[in-house]
Amino acid sequence: MYDLVTALSIWLIPALIVFIPLYAAFRKIPVYESFVDGAKGGFDTAIAIIPHLVGMMVAINMFRASGAMELMVQGLQPLMAAIGIPSEVLPLGMLRPLTGAGSLAYTTHLIENYGPDSIIGRIASTIQGSTDTTLYVLTVYFGAIGIRRSRYALKVGLFSDLVGFVAAVFICLYIFG
């Protein structure tokens, strides 16, 4: 099982990088022109979402600086320990839906302290790949097209992050633990 995961991780990205332009050329899609058009649209979108991003970053920093996140982590640690989730990765599970940079910094901290091949390092890396920065995604995508009410998107996104977190932990414990 471990050899299969290793082989996939080595060859999947290069295969996609080769496959996508070849598929586009086969379909007679002008690859470079499509890329340039997309880059132009991306720049306009980036300018349009700056106010939304600033608001979100202020709210995230207030949440972290107030100590609310640390209080939540301390309250959840006994429950997580009871179901077998290492307490070291719990802050990552809380940071990941909020901030990509903050969660990456915390993952780096865990890997530096425990090592990349430790169970904590593997769980942290898998959480990074299995969850998303839900609040950032909602801010960017919904802000870019002017949606003000997200309806169920926030609930579904946060639930998906929870499922991704729990699945990452238990799959890593099963495969590597």
Side-chain angles (χ1 to χ4, degrees), residues 48-126:
I49 64 172
I50 286 175
H52 302 282
L53 289 175
V54 169
M56 183 194 63
M57 295 306 282
V58 167
I60 289 169
N61 286 330
M62 287 174 55
F63 176 68
R64 290 175 61 197
S66 70
M69 187 184 81
E70 187 62 33
L71 187 64
M72 288 177 67
V73 167
Q74 288 175 355
L76 289 173
Q77 278 181 340
L79 173 66
M80 296 298 114
I83 59 174
I85 296 177
S87 62
E88 295 87 353
V89 299
L90 186 56
L92 179 60
M94 296 182 76
L95 276 174
R96 185 68 177 144
L98 301 175
T99 169
S103 64
L104 184 58
Y106 190 76
T107 299
T108 302
H109 166 75
L110 289 174
I111 289 172
E112 286 174 353
N113 286 341
Y114 296 96
D117 291 331
S118 68
I119 192 68
I120 300 295
R122 289 179 176 184
I123 290 172
S125 298
T126 306

Side-chain angles (χ1 to χ4, degrees), residues 1-10 175-176:
M1 182 67 147
Y2 180 72
D3 293 334
L4 175 65
V5 171
T6 302
L8 280 174
S9 67
I10 291 172
I175 292 176
F176 303 114

Side-chain angles (χ1 to χ4, degrees), residues 96-160:
R96 185 68 177 144
L98 301 175
T99 169
S103 64
L104 184 58
Y106 190 76
T107 299
T108 302
H109 166 75
L110 289 174
I111 289 172
E112 286 174 353
N113 286 341
Y114 296 96
D117 291 331
S118 68
I119 192 68
I120 300 295
R122 289 179 176 184
I123 290 172
S125 298
T126 306
I127 290 169
Q128 279 289 114
S130 302
T131 58
D132 206 348
T133 52
T134 299
L135 296 180
Y136 175 81
V137 168
L138 291 178
T139 300
V140 170
Y141 295 148
F142 287 9
I145 57 175
I147 295 176
R148 299 284 180 239
R149 296 181 63 195
S150 59
R151 294 192 103 194
Y152 300 107
L154 179 63
K155 294 174 190 172
V156 170
L158 291 176
F159 181 71
S160 298

Side-chain angles (χ1 to χ4, degrees), residues 11-30:
W11 289 105
L12 193 58
I13 298 293
L16 284 174
I17 290 172
V18 170
F19 172 75
I20 291 171
L22 287 176
Y23 180 75
F26 176 75
R27 302 270 322 251
K28 301 199 185 329
I29 297 171

